Amino acid sequence: MVSYYLAICLAIYVAYYFGSAVYYVFFHSLSKYPGPISAKFSGWLSFWHTARGDRHVWLWQLHEVYGPIVRYRYDSVVMSTPEALRTIYDSRANVQKSNSYLVWQKKAAPPNTFSCVDKLQHVRRRKILNAAISDKAIKSAQPFVIKHLDRWFDILKGKGGDWSDPRNISKHLDNLQFDIMAELCYGKSFDTKEPVDSSLKTIPHDISQYMWLMFRIMNSPFVHIWVWLKPRGLDILYRKIMPAKIKNYVRFVEKAVMERLCQEESLQDKGLEAERRDMLHYLFHAKDPETRQRGYSQAELVEEADMLTVAATDTTAGAMAATFFYLSRNESAYQKLKHEVRTQFADMEAIRLGPQIRECKYLQAVINETLRMSPPGANEFPREVLLGGLRIGDEYFPPGVIIGCGFYALFHDQNVFGDPFVYRPERWIVGDGVSEKDVADAERAFAPFSIGTRGCPGKNLALMELSLLFARLLHGYEFRLAPGDRTGEGGIEMVWGRKSHRQYQTKDAFAPIRDGPYIQFAARV
Ligand code: HEM
């Protein structure tokens, strides 16, 4: 009897699956768009590439085969034109983050700024966050950043004029960036970069693993069920079965933030000014622009500080690792950058935010070109079209459709960049065969921090860190690729789009999962 009912259930399920497949392939509003046949009625192909870590490359391949608009899931399309980029992520676009972002919320409430989907709720949260990561806050963060950078150079450099042992730069940068963000967000230096054993050393790695897991869930065919179950017991269950390391980390963050908040509260009660002006200080004092009351409750502060650390660690450390990869393989770029910083600044002390560093055009070009070749945010940042629909050029997308622009794919579009797999910082500087129009066209197709109200609030902090790191390093030290190292390179045996040994290969987990290159350091002689 049981097997009879099971057979009926299975038959209903199979009939439903085939019925909906026919609907999605032939009658859905996206059926006119090209794409792989299995992607037209399911999400499994997208999930398969997510699980392999090559989803960003796969989206690029799809555009190469099918053109600028591709249906890559039954309910989703990607576009790879500058116009699509500028329309979809514009503040006024009639879209919101897709519901799949809800997988990133640890608890249903309070949501953090990143995973908040509701547009109105996000506007309020974002205004408060902008006040906390203002230019003033970034300037106050500078001494903390410099302190960590200089100590990091000191740890990595060799003795005298000798080259140091080869260092896996990804691992060292994870620890550097985590120390910087912990100092800014939790008000504590965790010193995971120090050459001593510490149980905290693996935390950046644990954060990457957490992102890798969540990104796979976000792009899985069962994401809607996951999101539905979250407030219905899944969050509690997930917290229980969370890997011990992540659990420890979450507890650790809560404790650190609470301690720091107590300090701020006690100073406020005594009417004293805080000496430490880290990001947590600004988050604590951030006001809701409408009510003029404190912007965050304690629970929201913990959530926001944690979110900032996660959002900042792998993205910025990934961009730094990629810059090491490209500079250590491009002698001319390395020499030009070294020449620029050594002529622009009399000594390392002078290397700070300000007009002098803004004049380092080659430094900015190196950063741009790295973020183009290896964008830390490489996916298509999916958006749901809202009531009223969305028009992009001649295309109309009805409400409910998911739309995005694959950042990696667009930044490697041959129509815009000509030689997209070649590392050429010069493409960002007018002169030497590069016209103003060339630079303007490239800039229009390039937004590694995204744009609009959901663009990255940490952009200036990340750019400050990248500029200070490479300007100070090349002023006071030398570095080179460890002889024979090939870690992180593409290769002929890899999939189409990963074949160049001069491109840094990463796995997309919303932020990049990476390894190498191995770098040697020496003091300037
Ligand atoms: C090179 C480094 C970085 C890159 C390339 C980058 C890129 C991005 C991109 C593309 C987005 C949009 C994501 C989306 O639409 O889903 C984003 C959002 C965000 N980023 Fe960054 N980011 C970087 C560093 C940082 C840093 C240092 C912080 C914090 C201090 C940060 C905090 C955030 C937050 C909070 C959001 C969500 C904003 C919102 O939804 O309103 N990021 N970032």
Side-chain angles (χ1 to χ4, degrees), residues 424-436:
R424 198 160 56 78
E426 289 73 13
R427 76 173 82 238
W428 300 99
I429 302 169
V430 177
D432 263 352
V434 180
S435 69
E436 270 179 34

Side-chain angles (χ1 to χ4, degrees), residues 382-403:
R383 300 293 191 258
E384 180 184 337
V385 177
L386 297 175
L387 221 62
L390 177 75
R391 188 163 284 287
I392 305 176
D394 295 336
E395 304 296 329
Y396 169 78
F397 297 98
V401 158
I402 308 295
I403 179 136

Side-chain angles (χ1 to χ4, degrees), residues 402-423:
I402 308 295
I403 179 136
C405 173
F407 278 30
Y408 176 89
L410 180 59
F411 301 172
H412 289 82
D413 185 344
Q414 203 174 347
N415 296 317
V416 182
F417 294 102
D419 49 359
F421 290 93
V422 176
Y423 185 80

Side-chain angles (χ1 to χ4, degrees), residues 1-293:
M1 198 63 180
V2 175
S3 58
Y4 172 74
Y5 284 118
L6 269 179
I8 292 209
C9 288
L10 190 67
I12 292 173
Y13 175 75
V14 170
Y16 171 78
Y17 192 81
F18 276 102
S20 55
V22 169
Y23 164 73
Y24 279 115
V25 174
F26 297 107
F27 304 107
H28 190 268
S29 56
L30 297 180
S31 42
K32 64 177 171 175
Y33 295 113
I37 185 76
S38 68
K40 291 189 177 195
F41 60 85
S42 82
W44 283 102
L45 195 57
S46 168
F47 180 55
W48 161 248
H49 285 284
T50 312
R52 283 164 49 118
D54 66 4
R55 200 162 163 283
H56 56 306
V57 181
W58 175 61
L59 293 179
W60 170 83
Q61 292 173 349
L62 290 182
H63 286 300
E64 290 289 301
V65 174
Y66 296 102
I69 313 183
V70 182
R71 189 179 185 189
Y72 68 100
R73 260 176 67 114
Y74 63 99
D75 58 352
S76 316
V77 285
V78 268
M79 289 185 76
S80 83
T81 59
E83 187 183 21
L85 171 75
R86 303 276 152 196
T87 310
I88 298 169
Y89 304 102
D90 186 272
S91 303
R92 290 156 302 173
N94 190 30
V95 297
Q96 66 180 21
K97 278 189 173 176
S98 83
N99 266 0
S100 58
Y101 275 88
L102 294 173
V103 301
W104 295 95
Q105 285 181 8
K106 280 212 236 65
K107 292 175 255 179
N112 57 48
T113 306
F114 168 75
S115 60
C116 178
V117 164
D118 181 85
K119 271 181 114 170
L120 284 177
Q121 210 181 358
H122 174 260
V123 167
R124 177 191 163 258
R125 300 197 70 84
R126 184 59 194 255
K127 277 188 185 154
I128 305 171
L129 187 62
N130 285 349
I133 318 186
S134 62
D135 287 349
K136 191 170 153 203
I138 305 283
K139 221 169 169 188
S140 311
Q142 180 169 239
F144 297 111
V145 172
I146 289 179
K147 178 184 88 174
H148 284 281
L149 290 179
D150 289 354
R151 173 67 191 139
W152 191 73
F153 301 150
D154 208 37
I155 294 168
L156 296 192
K157 76 164 197 293
K159 294 188 188 80
D162 293 348
W163 288 106
S164 70
D165 290 338
R167 322 271 190 203
N168 186 340
I169 207 68
S170 285
K171 306 256 175 306
H172 285 278
L173 284 167
D174 282 353
N175 289 118
L176 167 70
Q177 178 60 7
F178 180 66
D179 284 351
I180 293 176
M181 286 316 293
E183 174 108 39
L184 296 179
C185 291
Y186 312 143
K188 258 197 179 152
S189 174
F190 292 164
D191 294 336
T192 62
K193 65 182 163 327
E194 294 299 322
V196 288
D197 275 346
S198 148
S199 58
L200 299 175
K201 253 192 166 41
T202 61
I203 287 183
H205 174 74
D206 302 337
I207 295 178
S208 299
Q209 291 306 306
Y210 168 75
M211 294 194 75
W212 184 215
L213 173 66
M214 286 300 142
F215 191 57
R216 277 176 284 180
I217 296 171
M218 184 185 183
N219 287 295
S220 69
F222 47 82
V223 58
H224 299 302
I225 302 173
W226 184 278
V227 166
W228 186 82
L229 284 174
K230 267 174 77 67
R232 294 172 175 80
L234 187 65
D235 280 339
I236 299 169
L237 181 72
Y238 184 69
R239 229 177 139 86
K240 286 215 164 85
I241 60 168
M242 203 185 255
K245 280 180 167 181
I246 300 280
K247 215 183 261 178
N248 288 343
Y249 168 65
V250 173
R251 278 201 210 107
F252 186 75
V253 167
E254 285 172 357
K255 191 165 165 272
V257 174
M258 294 313 272
E259 278 172 16
R260 183 79 176 76
L261 290 183
C262 286
Q263 281 171 14
E264 286 283 345
E265 269 162 8
S266 119
L267 285 170
Q268 199 176 40
D269 292 346
K270 290 179 195 149
L272 297 173
E273 282 282 312
E275 274 175 28
R276 261 190 89 92
R277 289 182 183 257
D278 50 31
M279 211 138 44
L280 197 66
H281 167 84
Y282 288 98
L283 287 173
F284 178 81
H285 289 279
K287 295 233 174 354
D288 185 322
E290 276 152 34
T291 61
R292 302 305 304 154
Q293 301 297 312

Side-chain angles (χ1 to χ4, degrees), residues 97 101 122 126 307 311-312 315 381 383 448-449 454 456-458 462:
K97 278 189 173 176
Y101 275 88
H122 174 260
R126 184 59 194 255
M307 180 262 320
T315 45
F381 305 114
R383 300 293 191 258
F449 296 94
R454 305 250 32 177
C456 180

